[in-house]
Amino acid sequence: MIHHPSVRRFGRAFALGLVLATAVSATGPAASAAPPRHGAPDFGPNVTIFDPSMPVAEIQAALDATHARQVGNEMGTERYAYLFKPGSYGTPEQPLQIKVGYYTEIAGLGASPTDVQINGKIEVYNRCLEDGGTSNCLALVNFWRTLSNLSLTVNAAGQDGCRASANFWAVSQAVSMRRLNVTGGGLSLMDYCTAGPQYASGGFIADSRLPATTNGSQQQWLTRNSEVAGWSNAVWNQVFAGVVGAPDDAGFPDPPYTTLDTTPLSREKPYLFVDGKGRYAVRVPAARRDTRGVSWADGLTPGRTIGIDDFFVARPSDSVRTINSQLARGKHLLLTPGVYDIARSIEVKRPGTVVLGLGHATLTAVNGSVPLDVAGVPGVVVAGVTIDAGLRESPVLLRVGQRHGRNASAADNPTTLSDVFFRVGGPHIGRTNIALEVNSDNVLIDHTWVWRGDHGVEGFTEGVNGDTDRWRTNTGRYGAVINGDHVTATGLFVEHFQRYNTVWNGEYGTTVLYQNELPYDPPTQADWMHGDVEGFAGYKVGDRVRHHTLYGGGVYVFNQNNPSIHTENGFEVPETPGVRLHHVMTVNLSAGTIDHVVNGVGEPADTTRVGAPVYVAEYPVP
């Protein structure tokens, strides 16, 4: 195995065992294009709405310009959403070929994914970090971008032979594909056309019909409630829930597939659409249990429709006082793209309230605030929002329900978090005690990345001293703390926190795919101790819990600041028949040691087996 210095510098785990299978804008130049009937809401200058009557070259130029700005803008403040009204875009002779950079959302505005047809490609390529952008190409830091609610007929006209071989989506965390209908060519979740190492670090697909898909170098991936024509290979941890055409997992861990015939609890993400009369609305899908396949197979996704007039359309310049006043009046909240400085909590108190972000709208804590505080009421939906810690420590970044209070709940209408992402450090110094705290019962977490940044632009020096600075300065103790009962997580990614990354205290919890990297930067073993125990497990189920289920979990170690550090267990759970782990593993990424997978079971993940996972198929062991 070759260790690449730039991979270490950018702080992402690298994949091993690689197997390859045989514009209508408020400020832009298109502002004079035909206006939508009834008038579009004012979504601000960073939302561009395309109409099928617009020339393909004009659309292509607008998207190319944004990609050029965003392809390397990992820690920037720009946010964009590009929305396509129902109709067809691109032709066989002139396909629309889109490349998607940081903090960019591409979405159709149809009621069904088939209402927006794109002939061309929608892609993410590796970032090449050396030799002037020509070598050391990988996808380990390709975060924060979104693609949804459209049909794509893959058309590679004009591309070279390798690029023409697939539609490439080479991404890692905080990236989702939802409500897609892809035909006409294959999909590759890695970019094998650039000058290696081509590593990628995991992602999420839901509610989509996909062609034959090459997983390639993706370390972990969750595909949920979808249809796939085929799936080739896996690296460490590939999970399928309610997926027609999913591979069988009988051979686990070779290959390392985990397959659930149905998804225990699901709710698709809300989406903005334009109806046949040109009116804008948001479709809020209903929660469903034990489902399989896409939600739109038989027509409109089951759920409710909320007219755009029932939303307060916020911009970053709006005060929290104004936002809370609108919420108190009964409005839902739509956050347009940008960075919102939040010095007091946005308070969501009304049952059934929808908070929908466009273009990775970001809430940044100011003066130690809790940026988003959701009351213990049923049916709230928060989607498409990123929450950043600020310089002064926050107790929590997103709280659902009160820790010591009465929380109402509804099993058939769970509060739902979809594509809600957290960041502690990176673009600036960040501090929090807990990132995500769930106190309510009956909550669904549908894809989250809870990240204490292992790299950024905060001004730390590289190497050991810089990592020590990060450990002392960018502080985040706990990633996700789940205190409510009957909480379900589908796609729970939590990384680098300084104590337990995830603590699950509630009863009857279920997780479908868990991915964790332990912190890279503890300076000494003394800094990474839990009493007399060496280190903190990446996934901790509370000692009093009697019922809990995890399907497909991985904990990785890369103690780059001090490779001598040990962590006793990747997973720590109560010894009771009702707490069950299905297909879990630990892996060493070339520094540090995890002594056991779970509760003293499993061999060490140490530097004698770099990149080779240690698996426990079932716990308790049969």
Side-chain angles (χ1 to χ4, degrees):
M1 204 291 304
I2 300 174
H3 187 73
H4 294 263
S6 61
V7 177
R8 178 187 294 269
R9 181 172 67 250
F10 277 80
R12 302 303 307 152
F14 44 89
L16 300 164
L18 170 63
V19 181
L20 284 177
T22 13
V24 182
S25 172
T27 58
S32 60
R37 288 169 289 177
H38 302 287
D42 184 358
F43 293 126
N46 294 326
V47 175
T48 300
I49 300 173
F50 295 122
D51 186 283
S53 66
M54 296 174 63
V56 174
E58 190 173 323
I59 298 172
Q60 187 75 64
L63 292 165
D64 286 349
T66 295
H67 179 258
R69 289 192 297 270
Q70 296 300 102
V71 65
N73 196 17
E74 182 181 353
M75 298 297 171
T77 59
E78 294 82 1
R79 306 285 188 270
Y80 299 95
Y82 290 92
L83 310 179
F84 291 79
K85 295 177 67 178
S88 297
Y89 298 83
T91 66
E93 298 76 23
Q94 189 181 14
L96 179 61
Q97 295 174 342
I98 303 168
K99 292 189 286 294
V100 186
Y102 284 102
Y103 310 110
T104 302
E105 176 178 2
I106 306 291
L109 287 173
S112 167
T114 57
D115 292 343
V116 173
Q117 303 278 342
I118 292 182
N119 190 314
K121 300 181 84 177
I122 305 174
E123 299 188 296
V124 179
Y125 299 155
N126 288 340
R127 283 182 67 189
C128 299
L129 305 177
E130 293 181 353
D131 301 324
T134 61
S135 68
N136 194 25
C137 303
L138 43 79
L140 297 182
V141 292
N142 281 353
F143 312 139
W144 301 307
R145 57 205 84 192
T146 303
L147 173 61
S148 65
N149 200 33
L150 53 81
S151 291
L152 174 66
T153 301
V154 177
N155 184 336
Q159 293 188 325
D160 66 29
C162 186
R163 285 281 174 235
S165 63
N167 189 94
F168 294 96
W169 190 253
V171 298
S172 290
Q173 282 85 350
V175 178
S176 71
M177 306 175 81
R178 294 179 182 264
R179 293 178 59 81
L180 300 180
N181 181 43
V182 182
T183 59
L187 173 67
S188 177
L189 303 178
M190 69 172 293
D191 175 4
Y192 49 74
C193 294
T194 53
Q198 302 167 348
Y199 304 137
S201 190
F204 176 87
I205 294 170
D207 206 20
S208 296
R209 281 179 174 158
L210 302 178
T213 299
T214 299
N215 172 75
S217 61
Q218 287 289 353
Q219 296 165 346
Q220 63 280 318
W221 196 279
L222 174 62
T223 305
R224 178 183 66 66
N225 288 86
S226 294
E227 301 174 11
V228 295
W231 190 277
S232 70
N233 81 285
V235 179
W236 294 333
N237 186 20
Q238 312 288 311
V239 180
F240 305 84
V243 177
V244 178
D248 189 275
D249 69 356
F252 182 88
D254 185 20
Y257 295 137
T258 302
T259 302
L260 287 71
D261 186 59
T262 61
T263 303
L265 176 66
S266 61
R267 176 182 237 153
E268 303 309 330
K269 181 180 176 182
Y271 57 94
L272 186 67
F273 74 101
V274 180
D275 69 14
K277 296 183 178 180
R279 297 172 298 198
Y280 285 74
V282 171
R283 186 69 175 173
V284 184
R288 304 183 302 158
R289 293 189 179 274
D290 300 318
T291 52
R292 177 177 171 86
V294 299
S295 70
W296 41 274
D298 299 320
L300 189 64
T301 294
R304 60 187 171 125
T305 295
I306 304 173
I308 198 66
D309 289 343
D310 289 325
F311 280 81
F312 175 62
V313 179
R315 298 198 190 187
S317 58
D318 289 316
S319 69
V320 174
R321 184 183 300 274
T322 297
I323 292 172
N324 282 340
S325 174
Q326 294 289 329
L327 288 169
R329 291 178 53 204
K331 290 283 190 176
H332 303 274
L333 177 61
L334 190 147
L335 297 165
T336 60
V339 176
Y340 297 69
D341 289 333
I342 307 297
R344 54 176 290 193
S345 297
I346 295 175
E347 298 176 341
V348 180
K349 299 179 179 180
R350 183 171 55 90
T353 300
V354 175
V355 177
L356 176 61
L358 299 181
H360 290 260
T362 301
L363 308 178
T364 299
V366 175
N367 295 331
S369 70
V370 177
L372 190 55
D373 199 348
V374 177
V377 296
V380 172
V381 178
V382 180
V385 178
T386 296
I387 306 177
D388 279 357
L391 180 60
R392 182 182 297 177
E393 182 176 290
S394 296
V396 184
L397 297 180
L398 169 56
R399 180 166 50 214
V400 180
Q402 298 304 306
R403 183 69 182 92
H404 301 288
R406 184 177 180 181
N407 296 309
S409 64
D412 61 347
N413 190 19
T415 284
T416 304
L417 312 178
S418 298
D419 294 350
V420 177
F421 308 130
F422 300 81
R423 182 167 53 184
V424 182
H428 49 257
I429 290 170
R431 299 182 174 103
T432 192
N433 182 40
I434 299 170
L436 170 63
E437 181 180 270
V438 176
N439 300 310
S440 293
D441 299 339
N442 295 303
V443 173
L444 171 62
I445 304 168
D446 185 46
H447 189 216
T448 187
W449 185 37
V450 188
W451 187 55
R452 176 180 166 263
D454 58 270
H455 66 275
V457 294
E458 309 95 323
F460 301 136
T461 58
E462 295 289 345
V464 171
N465 289 335
D467 295 326
T468 302
D469 292 342
R470 187 177 300 279
W471 180 259
R472 306 292 184 206
T473 308
N474 273 347
T475 54
R477 294 178 186 86
Y478 304 97
V481 177
I482 312 300
N483 297 316
D485 296 338
H486 300 283
V487 174
T488 300
T490 49
L492 181 59
F493 297 74
V494 187
E495 299 191 292
H496 308 310
F497 284 83
Q498 294 172 297
R499 294 184 185 173
Y500 291 119
N501 278 262
T502 295
V503 182
W504 205 295
N505 295 318
E507 286 285 359
Y508 298 99
T510 302
T511 297
V512 180
L513 188 134
Y514 180 69
Q515 184 270 333
N516 167 251
E517 284 182 349
L518 298 173
Y520 294 174
D521 54 343
T524 69
Q525 185 72 61
D527 292 295
W528 186 239
M529 293 290 293
H530 181 218
D532 295 331
V533 177
E534 290 184 325
F536 294 82
Y539 190 92
K540 165 71 174 178
V541 178
D543 295 341
R544 297 182 179 181
V545 173
R546 292 295 172 261
H547 302 88
H548 184 88
T549 307
L550 166 62
Y551 300 95
V555 175
Y556 315 155
V557 62
F558 180 47
N559 292 128
Q560 67 170 355
N561 200 40
N562 187 338
S564 70
I565 286 176
H566 282 248
T567 301
E568 184 167 323
N569 289 292
F571 300 82
E572 184 178 312
V573 304
E575 298 278 2
T576 181
V579 176
R580 306 200 61 85
L581 309 184
H582 181 69
H583 293 185
V584 294
M585 49 78 72
T586 56
V587 68
N588 186 287
L589 305 178
S590 80
T593 299
I594 302 176
D595 294 321
H596 305 285
V597 178
V598 51
N599 290 11
V601 175
E603 297 180 356
D606 58 22
T607 54
T608 68
R609 58 189 343 141
V610 171
V614 181
Y615 290 102
V616 171
E618 303 289 340
Y619 190 85
V621 177

